[in-house]
Amino acid sequence: MAAAAEELTLLEKLLGLRRGNKYSAQGERQIPVLQTNNGPSLTGLATIAAHLVKQANKEHLLGSTAEEKAVVQQWLEYRVTRIDGHSNKDEIRNMLKDLNSYLEDKVYLTGNNFTLADILLYYGLHRFIVDLTFQEKEKYLNVSRWFSHIQHYPGIRQHLSSVVFIKNRLYTNTH
């Protein structure tokens, strides 16, 4: 999965680390692999991302309380199991509908704190969100609000295209 390695490279840049990512083939999917300097190689997007965050001494991105850490882990698993590899329009709509409900009263996926879950979900959803019409973006208003906020977070968007959420309207002046 070339996108996963690209994300890990972006995450490394964001965290100020320098590495190279490799892949392991599992069926039709390619799984990122990171060879560490002093241990076994690490496999999988969530595992490698968490390791990079710890190495960069930015563990706050993994959550600050036991509950928040569990929620971050939950969303990392969600990213790998529900988002990666899916392109069926109905699955995407259901996923966005569920996420929209979840984000109704939250700024970030864990509530009020920006975490690795927000970063990896942003990267995973970008390919879907960029293709939504303005009407679809309005239908998933909480997802759109969250996504727009994350894409403007310093250093996050990197090379990904900016997604526009507000339709420019032409108003006529009728006195």
Side-chain angles (χ1 to χ4, degrees):
M1 167 177 257
E6 192 169 290
E7 288 172 45
L8 290 172
T9 301
L10 292 173
L11 185 60
E12 289 166 351
K13 278 186 189 177
L14 179 68
L15 298 173
L17 300 171
R18 291 273 168 232
R19 295 200 187 273
N21 296 301
K22 299 179 182 177
Y23 299 97
S24 168
Q26 286 187 350
E28 295 178 14
R29 290 180 54 171
Q30 287 190 326
I31 308 297
V33 176
L34 175 70
Q35 181 59 53
T36 61
N37 291 335
N38 54 356
S41 60
L42 301 175
T43 304
L45 177 65
T47 302
I48 295 171
H51 171 76
L52 293 174
V53 165
K54 287 176 185 174
Q55 257 206 315
N57 292 321
K58 301 207 178 204
E59 291 193 35
H60 64 279
L61 290 174
L62 297 174
S64 54
T65 65
E67 181 179 282
E68 197 173 77
K69 289 176 184 183
V71 172
V72 169
Q73 187 59 43
Q74 167 190 298
W75 283 108
L76 296 180
E77 289 178 22
Y78 183 89
R79 160 62 201 272
V80 172
T81 59
R82 295 279 318 273
I83 295 174
D84 292 351
H86 293 286
S87 59
N88 175 312
K89 287 270 190 195
D90 288 331
E91 287 178 355
I92 295 165
R93 280 190 207 106
N94 286 334
M95 182 176 48
L96 290 173
K97 182 181 171 190
D98 292 345
L99 186 57
N100 196 61
S101 294
Y102 178 81
L103 287 168
E104 188 172 355
D105 61 347
K106 294 172 185 63
V107 176
Y108 300 106
L109 292 169
T110 60
N112 295 316
N113 296 316
F114 177 76
T115 65
L116 180 61
D118 295 293
I119 297 169
L120 291 188
L121 212 63
Y122 165 79
Y123 287 130
L125 290 175
H126 187 275
R127 65 188 169 121
F128 303 125
I129 303 292
V130 76
D131 289 336
L132 294 178
T133 65
F134 286 109
Q135 292 80 8
E136 289 171 317
K137 290 174 192 167
E138 287 180 13
K139 182 178 179 181
Y140 307 114
L141 197 56
N142 298 320
V143 173
S144 295
R145 172 190 44 80
W146 169 83
F147 190 93
S148 181
H149 183 65
I150 299 302
Q151 82 174 347
H152 290 101
Y153 207 90
I156 296 299
R157 191 168 49 83
Q158 301 283 328
H159 75 285
L160 295 176
S161 62
S162 180
V163 177
V164 177
F165 288 91
I166 300 171
K167 186 174 182 179
N168 292 331
R169 296 185 179 153
L170 182 61
Y171 293 96
T172 58
N173 190 356
T174 56
H175 288 298

